[in-house]
Coordinates of all heavy atoms in Angstrom, one line a residue:
D56 N 78.1 69.4 30.0 CA 79.0 70.0 28.9 C 78.7 69.3 27.6 O 78.2 68.1 27.6 CB 80.4 70.0 29.3 CG 81.0 68.6 29.3 OD1 80.3 67.6 29.6 OD2 82.2 68.5 29.1
Y57 N 78.8 70.0 26.5 CA 78.5 69.6 25.2 C 79.6 69.8 24.2 O 80.3 70.8 24.3 CB 77.2 70.4 24.7 CG 76.0 70.3 25.6 CD1 75.9 71.1 26.7 CD2 75.1 69.3 25.4 CE1 74.8 71.0 27.5 CE2 74.0 69.1 26.2 CZ 73.9 70.0 27.3 OH 72.8 69.8 28.1
P58 N 79.8 68.9 23.3 CA 80.8 69.1 22.2 C 80.4 70.5 21.5 O 79.2 70.8 21.4 CB 80.6 68.0 21.3 CG 80.0 66.9 22.1 CD 79.2 67.6 23.1
L59 N 81.4 71.2 21.1 CA 81.2 72.5 20.6 C 80.1 72.5 19.5 O 79.2 73.3 19.5 CB 82.5 73.1 20.0 CG 82.5 74.5 19.5 CD1 82.1 75.5 20.5 CD2 83.8 74.8 18.8
D60 N 80.3 71.7 18.5 CA 79.3 71.6 17.4 C 77.9 71.3 17.8 O 76.9 71.9 17.4 CB 79.7 70.6 16.3 CG 81.0 71.0 15.6 OD1 81.4 72.2 15.6 OD2 81.6 70.1 14.9
D61 N 77.8 70.4 18.8 CA 76.5 70.1 19.4 C 75.9 71.3 20.1 O 74.7 71.6 19.9 CB 76.6 68.9 20.3 CG 75.3 68.4 20.8 OD1 74.2 68.4 20.1 OD2 75.2 68.0 22.0
F62 N 76.7 72.0 20.9 CA 76.2 73.2 21.6 C 75.7 74.2 20.6 O 74.6 74.8 20.8 CB 77.3 73.7 22.5 CG 76.9 75.0 23.2 CD1 76.1 75.0 24.2 CD2 77.3 76.2 22.6 CE1 75.7 76.2 24.8 CE2 76.9 77.4 23.2 CZ 76.1 77.4 24.3
V63 N 76.5 74.5 19.6 CA 76.0 75.5 18.6 C 74.8 75.1 17.9 O 73.8 75.9 17.7 CB 77.2 75.8 17.6 CG1 76.7 76.7 16.5 CG2 78.4 76.4 18.3
A64 N 74.7 73.8 17.5 CA 73.4 73.3 16.8 C 72.2 73.4 17.8 O 71.1 73.8 17.3 CB 73.6 71.9 16.4
R65 N 72.4 73.0 19.0 CA 71.3 73.1 20.0 C 70.9 74.6 20.2 O 69.7 74.9 20.3 CB 71.7 72.5 21.3 CG 71.8 71.0 21.3 CD 72.4 70.5 22.6 NE 72.6 69.1 22.7 CZ 71.9 68.3 23.4 NH1 70.9 68.7 24.1 NH2 72.1 67.0 23.4
S66 N 71.9 75.5 20.3 CA 71.6 76.9 20.5 C 70.8 77.4 19.3 O 69.9 78.2 19.4 CB 72.9 77.7 20.6 OG 73.6 77.3 21.8
R67 N 71.3 77.0 18.1 CA 70.6 77.4 16.8 C 69.1 77.0 16.9 O 68.2 77.8 16.6 CB 71.3 76.8 15.6 CG 71.3 77.6 14.4 CD 72.2 77.0 13.3 NE 73.5 77.5 13.4 CZ 74.6 76.7 13.4 NH1 74.5 75.4 13.3 NH2 75.8 77.3 13.5
E68 N 68.9 75.8 17.2 CA 67.5 75.3 17.2 C 66.7 76.0 18.3 O 65.6 76.4 18.1 CB 67.5 73.8 17.4 CG 66.1 73.2 17.2 CD 66.0 71.7 17.1 OE1 67.1 71.1 17.1 OE2 64.9 71.2 17.0
A69 N 67.2 76.0 19.5 CA 66.5 76.6 20.7 C 66.2 78.0 20.5 O 65.0 78.5 20.7 CB 67.3 76.4 22.0
L70 N 67.2 78.8 20.1 CA 66.9 80.2 19.9 C 66.1 80.5 18.7 O 65.3 81.5 18.7 CB 68.3 81.0 19.8 CG 69.0 81.0 21.1 CD1 70.4 81.5 21.0 CD2 68.3 81.8 22.2
G71 N 66.1 79.7 17.7 CA 65.2 79.8 16.5 C 63.8 79.6 16.9 O 62.9 80.3 16.5
I72 N 63.5 78.6 17.7 CA 62.2 78.3 18.2 C 61.7 79.5 19.1 O 60.6 79.9 19.0 CB 62.1 77.0 19.0 CG1 62.3 75.8 18.1 CG2 60.8 76.8 19.8 CD1 62.6 74.4 18.8
A73 N 62.6 79.9 20.0 CA 62.3 81.0 20.9 C 61.9 82.3 20.1 O 60.9 82.9 20.4 CB 63.4 81.4 21.8
S74 N 62.6 82.6 19.0 CA 62.3 83.7 18.2 C 61.0 83.5 17.5 O 60.2 84.5 17.4 CB 63.4 83.9 17.2 OG 63.2 85.0 16.3
E75 N 60.7 82.3 17.0 CA 59.4 82.1 16.4 C 58.2 82.2 17.4 O 57.1 82.6 17.0 CB 59.4 80.7 15.7 CG 60.2 80.7 14.4 CD 59.7 81.8 13.4 OE1 58.5 81.8 13.1 OE2 60.6 82.5 13.0
R76 N 58.4 81.8 18.6 CA 57.4 82.0 19.6 C 57.1 83.5 19.8 O 55.9 83.8 20.0 CB 57.8 81.3 20.9 CG 57.8 79.8 20.9 CD 58.1 79.2 22.2 NE 57.9 77.8 22.1 CZ 58.1 76.9 23.1 NH1 58.5 77.4 24.3 NH2 57.9 75.7 23.0
V77 N 58.1 84.3 19.8 CA 57.9 85.7 19.9 C 57.1 86.2 18.6 O 56.1 87.0 18.8 CB 59.2 86.5 20.0 CG1 59.0 88.0 19.8 CG2 59.9 86.2 21.3
R78 N 57.4 85.7 17.5 CA 56.7 86.1 16.2 C 55.2 85.7 16.3 O 54.3 86.5 16.0 CB 57.3 85.4 15.0 CG 56.6 85.8 13.7 CD 57.1 84.9 12.5 NE 58.5 84.9 12.3 CZ 59.3 85.8 11.7 NH1 58.7 86.9 11.2 NH2 60.6 85.6 11.6
E79 N 55.0 84.5 16.8 CA 53.6 84.0 17.0 C 52.8 84.9 17.9 O 51.6 85.2 17.7 CB 53.6 82.6 17.5 CG 54.0 81.6 16.4 CD 54.2 80.2 17.0 OE1 53.9 79.9 18.2 OE2 54.8 79.3 16.3
K80 N 53.4 85.4 19.0 CA 52.7 86.2 20.0 C 52.6 87.7 19.6 O 51.6 88.3 19.8 CB 53.4 86.0 21.3 CG 52.7 86.7 22.4 CD 53.2 86.3 23.8 CE 52.3 87.0 24.9 NZ 52.6 86.5 26.2
Y81 N 53.7 88.2 19.0 CA 53.8 89.6 18.8 C 53.8 90.1 17.3 O 53.7 91.2 17.0 CB 55.0 90.2 19.5 CG 55.0 90.1 21.0 CD1 55.8 89.1 21.6 CD2 54.1 90.8 21.8 CE1 55.8 88.9 23.0 CE2 54.1 90.6 23.2 CZ 54.9 89.7 23.8 OH 54.9 89.5 25.1
G82 N 54.0 89.1 16.4 CA 53.9 89.4 15.0 C 55.3 89.7 14.4 O 55.4 90.1 13.3
F83 N 56.4 89.6 15.2 CA 57.7 89.9 14.7 C 58.7 88.9 15.4 O 58.5 88.6 16.6 CB 58.1 91.3 14.8 CG 58.0 91.9 16.2 CD1 59.0 91.7 17.2 CD2 56.8 92.5 16.6 CE1 58.8 92.2 18.4 CE2 56.7 93.0 17.9 CZ 57.6 92.8 18.8
A84 N 59.7 88.6 14.7 CA 60.8 87.7 15.3 C 61.5 88.4 16.4 O 61.5 89.7 16.4 CB 61.7 87.2 14.2
C85 N 62.2 87.7 17.2 CA 63.0 88.3 18.3 C 64.4 88.6 17.8 O 65.2 87.6 17.7 CB 63.0 87.4 19.5 SG 63.9 88.1 20.9
S86 N 64.7 89.8 17.6 CA 66.1 90.1 17.2 C 67.1 89.9 18.3 O 68.3 89.5 18.0 CB 66.2 91.6 16.7 OG 65.8 92.5 17.7
S87 N 66.7 90.0 19.5 CA 67.7 89.7 20.6 C 68.1 88.2 20.6 O 69.2 87.9 20.9 CB 67.0 90.1 22.0 OG 66.8 91.4 22.0
A88 N 67.1 87.3 20.3 CA 67.5 85.9 20.2 C 68.5 85.7 19.1 O 69.4 84.9 19.2 CB 66.2 85.1 20.1
M89 N 68.2 86.3 18.0 CA 69.1 86.1 16.8 C 70.5 86.8 17.1 O 71.5 86.2 16.6 CB 68.5 86.7 15.6 CG 67.2 85.9 15.1 SD 67.4 84.1 14.8 CE 67.2 83.3 16.4
D90 N 70.5 87.9 17.8 CA 71.8 88.5 18.2 C 72.5 87.6 19.1 O 73.8 87.5 19.0 CB 71.5 89.9 18.9 CG 71.0 90.9 17.9 OD1 71.1 90.7 16.7 OD2 70.5 92.0 18.4
Q91 N 71.9 87.0 20.0 CA 72.5 86.0 20.9 C 73.1 84.9 20.2 O 74.2 84.4 20.4 CB 71.5 85.5 22.0 CG 72.2 84.5 23.0 CD 73.3 85.2 23.8 OE1 73.0 86.0 24.6 NE2 74.5 84.8 23.5
L92 N 72.3 84.3 19.2 CA 72.8 83.2 18.4 C 74.1 83.7 17.6 O 75.1 82.9 17.6 CB 71.8 82.7 17.5 CG 72.2 81.6 16.5 CD1 72.7 80.4 17.3 CD2 71.0 81.2 15.6
A93 N 74.1 84.8 17.1 CA 75.2 85.3 16.3 C 76.5 85.4 17.2 O 77.6 85.1 16.8 CB 74.9 86.7 15.7
R94 N 76.3 85.9 18.5 CA 77.4 85.9 19.4 C 77.9 84.5 19.7 O 79.1 84.3 19.8 CB 77.0 86.7 20.7 CG 76.9 88.2 20.5 CD 76.8 88.9 21.8 NE 75.5 88.6 22.6 CZ 74.3 89.1 22.3 NH1 74.2 90.0 21.4 NH2 73.3 88.8 23.1
I95 N 77.0 83.6 19.9 CA 77.4 82.2 20.2 C 78.2 81.7 19.0 O 79.3 81.1 19.2 CB 76.2 81.3 20.5 CG1 75.7 81.7 21.9 CG2 76.6 79.8 20.4 CD1 74.4 81.0 22.3
E96 N 77.7 81.8 17.8 CA 78.4 81.3 16.6 C 79.7 82.0 16.4 O 80.7 81.3 16.1 CB 77.5 81.5 15.4 CG 76.3 80.7 15.4 CD 75.3 80.9 14.3 OE1 75.3 82.1 13.8 OE2 74.6 80.0 13.9
Q97 N 79.8 83.3 16.7 CA 81.1 84.0 16.5 C 82.1 83.5 17.5 O 83.3 83.2 17.2 CB 80.9 85.5 16.7 CG 82.1 86.3 16.5 CD 81.9 87.8 16.6 OE1 80.8 88.2 17.1 NE2 82.8 88.6 16.2
E98 N 81.7 83.4 18.8 CA 82.6 82.9 19.8 C 83.1 81.5 19.6 O 84.2 81.1 19.8 CB 81.9 83.0 21.2 CG 82.9 82.9 22.3 CD 83.9 84.0 22.5 OE1 83.7 85.1 21.9 OE2 84.9 83.7 23.2
A99 N 82.1 80.6 19.1 CA 82.5 79.2 18.8 C 83.5 79.1 17.7 O 84.3 78.1 17.8 CB 81.2 78.5 18.4
E100 N 83.6 80.0 16.8 CA 84.6 80.0 15.7 C 86.0 80.0 16.3 O 86.9 79.3 15.7 CB 84.4 81.2 14.8 CG 83.2 81.0 13.9 CD 83.1 82.2 13.0 OE1 84.1 82.9 12.7 OE2 82.0 82.5 12.5
R101 N 86.2 80.6 17.5 CA 87.6 80.6 18.1 C 88.1 79.2 18.4 O 89.3 79.0 18.5 CB 87.6 81.5 19.4 CG 87.3 82.9 19.1 CD 87.6 83.8 20.4 NE 87.0 83.3 21.6 CZ 87.8 83.1 22.7 NH1 89.1 83.3 22.7 NH2 87.2 82.6 23.8
F102 N 87.1 78.3 18.7 CA 87.5 76.9 19.1 C 87.3 75.9 18.1 O 87.4 74.7 18.3 CB 86.7 76.6 20.4 CG 86.8 77.7 21.4 CD1 85.7 78.5 21.6 CD2 87.9 77.8 22.2 CE1 85.8 79.5 22.6 CE2 88.0 78.8 23.1 CZ 87.0 79.7 23.4
A103 N 86.9 76.3 16.9 CA 86.5 75.3 15.8 C 87.6 74.3 15.4 O 87.3 73.2 15.0 CB 86.0 76.1 14.6
S104 N 88.8 74.7 15.6 CA 89.9 73.9 15.2 C 90.3 72.8 16.3 O 91.1 71.9 16.0 CB 91.2 74.7 14.9 OG 91.6 75.3 16.1
D105 N 89.6 72.9 17.4 CA 89.9 71.9 18.5 C 88.8 70.9 18.5 O 87.7 71.1 18.9 CB 89.9 72.7 19.8 CG 90.1 71.7 21.0 OD1 90.2 70.5 20.8 OD2 90.2 72.2 22.1
P106 N 89.1 69.6 18.1 CA 88.1 68.6 18.0 C 87.5 68.2 19.4 O 86.5 67.5 19.4 CB 88.8 67.5 17.3 CG 90.2 67.7 17.5 CD 90.4 69.2 17.7
H107 N 88.2 68.6 20.4 CA 87.8 68.2 21.8 C 87.1 69.3 22.5 O 86.8 69.2 23.7 CB 89.0 67.7 22.6 CG 89.7 66.5 21.9 ND1 89.2 65.3 21.7 CD2 90.9 66.5 21.3 CE1 90.0 64.5 21.1 NE2 91.1 65.2 20.8

Side-chain angles (χ1 to χ4, degrees):
D56 66 334
Y57 301 87
L59 182 66
D60 290 345
D61 184 37
F62 175 78
V63 172
R65 287 171 184 255
S66 297
R67 211 173 270 133
E68 188 171 357
L70 292 169
I72 291 169
S74 181
E75 284 306 307
R76 287 184 175 180
V77 170
R78 182 190 309 277
E79 289 169 8
K80 185 167 185 174
Y81 299 106
F83 53 86
C85 180
S86 61
S87 294
M89 296 299 91
D90 289 346
Q91 180 63 70
L92 177 58
R94 284 190 298 278
I95 287 170
E96 291 174 333
Q97 181 178 16
E98 191 68 16
E100 286 180 25
R101 294 190 316 124
F102 308 104
S104 64
D105 180 356
H107 304 292

